[in-house]
Amino acid sequence: MRRFFAFIVITCIVTLAASAQEGGVIVYSYPANAGPINPHMYSPNQMYAQEMVYEPLVSLGDDGRIHPCLAESWEVSDDGLVYIFHLRRDVRFSDGAVFDAHVASRNFDHILANRARHAWLELANVITAHEAVDEFTFRLTLTTPYYPTLEDLSLPRPFRFLSPNAFPDDGITRDGIKTPVGTGPWQVAAMRLGEYDRFVPNDHYWGKKPVPAGVLVKVIPDPVSRALALQTGEIDLVLGQGQIGFDTFAAMRADPAYATGVSDTVGTMAVAINSARAPTDDLRVRQAIQHMVDKDALIGGVFLGAQPRADFLFAPSVPYADIGLKPYGYDLEQAGRLLDDAGWRLEPGQTVRMRDGAPLVIDYCFVGNDAAQKAAAEVLQGMAARVGMLLNLVGEEEDSYYRRQKDGNFGMIVNPTWGPPFEPHAMLGSMRSASHADYQAQLGLPMKADLDAAITRVMRSVDETERAALYRDILTTLHDQAIYLPLHYAALLSVHRPDRLEGVHFGPGKSKYPFEDFQKKD
């Protein structure tokens, strides 16, 4: 992996200063490097970069529907087990290699050789065969009907396509790739660890050619430094989630020198509460946490009204999610009664509840350089103190944070949902995988095995009535067990100077940044 971070040059060698001054190059920033940009793997590969470089068979459109991409059309058998894709005939990778059904099948060989890592995504579990029927016809065969097949194929990873010249000589792509080469509108030009990643247009791209001459992504971990870089002209654009503080965003929104934007809902900012670890293994403690949070104050104080409050894991607009659940209301007295019932007593003159000589302390874990997560954590810490609970704030860099999600070493952990097209099916499917915080948080539930079985059934159901009933049961159980503390329905934010950049808009989902449509003003 190190070779990808050691100043790789694919098409040209550039310096940071020259890149920033070159006309037509959009200068963006991100908290970390894009990683090796392996299309078939996860962190530290950043999804926005995977979306820039690689493409799927089908894609999510701005209208929320599935559209053709590398496949021009497709057919599904009556029994839902066979998908036949008719591929575009004019597609080349950025290295000039031809994309065809044989290359598609080879990519699936590598993806499914690592099937265990992708088990959170049900499609990876139900593919029984894939083959090139002819040069431009690709067939997938499933073991069982799976209604979100096309949605899974449209995701940023892992079902995207690497050039045949970039496969490892030995092993599979799980172990690394030679170079990040895809069919997307962008190709990697250079990477320097801790400094920047540079992308230039793919000259072989089959679709609409990118407008800008390139995208330079500077590594700026701190949101305050990022805002200053925008103000001084060091970068052209802030775009995404957690990229800038809400107070800074509000100030820039009121300044006519800046153009700002707020996207449609792209998920829920939620906190997972660990049912397998004391003290949150007690349902009454989890319910008390729900009642102690004044969400309206949180939304107004931290998010400054830019994000709507959330009472449920998924927004009502998400398919199958509008089921009439009753929200947990803000009620400090009810929170106190629940904690009293659980044996946590607040003695006179004390600020933290005690039980059996131990204080009521919960580790609250989040990404330390995410401005919104940090601010929300501090406000929640103050709200917890009102009921005699101490939230121990653990703000860490992303790798450490993700390790906690996987090993369950948390009491509460920020756990955003993934937005379209992941919701609800893929998000629920991941709850069965030990590599996700959802699994770890649910592990102490007595009905965990039944939940996992119901999630499997709902994704394989061909009966719409049965599917809706299963979703209702799953979401009701998670709500009643108080496993998630929803804070707000999340939106992406953008800020740029209109005298330097135009055409800025949001893409579908939370990881598609449509740089190819933006235009830099010289």
Side-chain angles (χ1 to χ4, degrees), residues 5 106 151 163 232 337 348:
F5 290 116
R106 185 177 177 187
E151 284 80 1
S163 167
T232 61
R337 285 194 294 269

Side-chain angles (χ1 to χ4, degrees), residues 464-474:
E464 181 66 26
T465 301
E466 177 192 42
R467 191 184 305 156
L470 284 167
Y471 272 121
R472 175 182 293 275
D473 290 345
I474 294 164

Side-chain angles (χ1 to χ4, degrees), residues 62-106:
D62 291 329
D63 59 0
R65 299 182 178 183
I66 296 299
H67 291 258
C69 189
L70 293 181
E72 288 186 312
S73 62
W74 55 89
E75 297 128 25
V76 184
S77 63
D78 292 339
D79 59 8
L81 298 180
V82 179
Y83 287 73
I84 296 177
F85 297 92
H86 303 285
L87 307 183
R88 297 184 183 276
R89 295 172 178 263
D90 56 346
V91 177
R92 290 183 178 271
F93 291 90
S94 59
D95 63 1
V98 173
F99 172 76
D100 60 20
H102 301 288
V103 173
S105 185
R106 185 177 177 187

Side-chain angles (χ1 to χ4, degrees), residues 140-417:
L140 275 182
T141 305
L142 312 183
T143 59
T144 181
Y146 178 62
Y147 87 88
T149 292
L150 296 177
E151 284 80 1
D152 281 6
L153 290 174
S154 75
L155 297 179
R157 55 196 185 196
F159 296 109
R160 298 211 173 193
F161 300 96
L162 179 70
S163 167
N165 299 321
F167 284 97
D169 292 328
D170 300 303
I172 59 174
T173 51
R174 173 191 61 196
D175 305 315
I177 59 176
K178 289 180 178 177
T179 52
V181 180
T183 64
W186 299 100
Q187 60 181 320
V188 179
M191 297 176 171
R192 191 182 289 274
L193 181 61
E195 294 187 29
Y196 65 86
D197 299 306
R198 181 186 170 101
F199 301 84
V200 295
N202 170 10
D203 291 337
H204 295 287
Y205 187 50
W206 59 271
K208 179 184 175 183
K209 301 297 188 290
V211 173
V215 179
L216 176 68
V217 184
K218 292 187 178 184
V219 176
I220 303 179
D222 177 53
V224 174
S225 299
R226 183 175 299 108
L228 289 173
L230 181 63
Q231 291 170 338
T232 61
E234 181 185 350
I235 64 174
D236 299 318
L237 172 72
V238 171
L239 173 66
Q241 203 169 6
Q243 298 287 303
I244 190 171
F246 282 91
D247 53 347
T248 306
F249 177 77
M252 289 183 168
R253 199 173 196 180
D255 188 337
Y258 298 96
T260 61
V262 180
S263 76
D264 293 334
T265 297
V266 292
T268 305
M269 181 57 70
V271 178
I273 307 175
N274 199 336
S275 67
R277 178 177 172 175
T280 50
D281 56 344
D282 190 321
L283 174 60
R284 292 166 295 187
V285 174
R286 300 196 301 273
Q287 291 172 331
I289 291 170
Q290 305 287 337
H291 287 296
M292 78 183 190
V293 178
D294 184 349
K295 294 181 183 177
D296 290 334
L298 180 70
I299 296 297
V302 175
F303 307 112
L304 303 179
Q307 313 275 274
R309 65 172 285 163
D311 290 313
F312 311 110
L313 181 60
F314 297 123
S317 58
V318 171
Y320 306 104
D322 189 6
I323 55 175
L325 294 172
K326 181 180 178 181
Y328 289 94
Y330 172 56
D331 189 335
L332 291 181
E333 290 185 3
Q334 176 67 2
R337 285 194 294 269
L338 286 162
L339 293 175
D340 286 340
D341 291 345
W344 294 100
R345 301 305 172 94
L346 186 61
E347 301 298 336
Q350 300 298 310
T351 58
V352 179
R353 290 175 181 266
M354 304 288 290
R355 187 180 71 181
D356 300 329
L360 180 56
V361 181
I362 301 172
D363 287 340
Y364 183 99
C365 307
F366 61 97
V367 178
N369 61 11
D370 185 306
Q373 290 189 23
K374 183 176 185 293
E378 292 169 348
V379 171
L380 290 174
Q381 185 182 51
M383 292 179 177
R386 297 174 186 172
V387 296
M389 180 186 299
L390 175 60
L391 291 189
N392 177 40
L393 303 189
V394 183
E396 299 177 307
E397 54 87 27
E398 281 192 340
D399 286 346
S400 298
Y401 161 81
Y402 285 127
R403 279 196 296 272
R404 287 184 185 272
Q405 285 199 336
K406 293 177 182 179
D407 62 23
N409 185 21
F410 62 87
M412 298 170 66
I413 192 165
V414 173
N415 190 52
T417 69

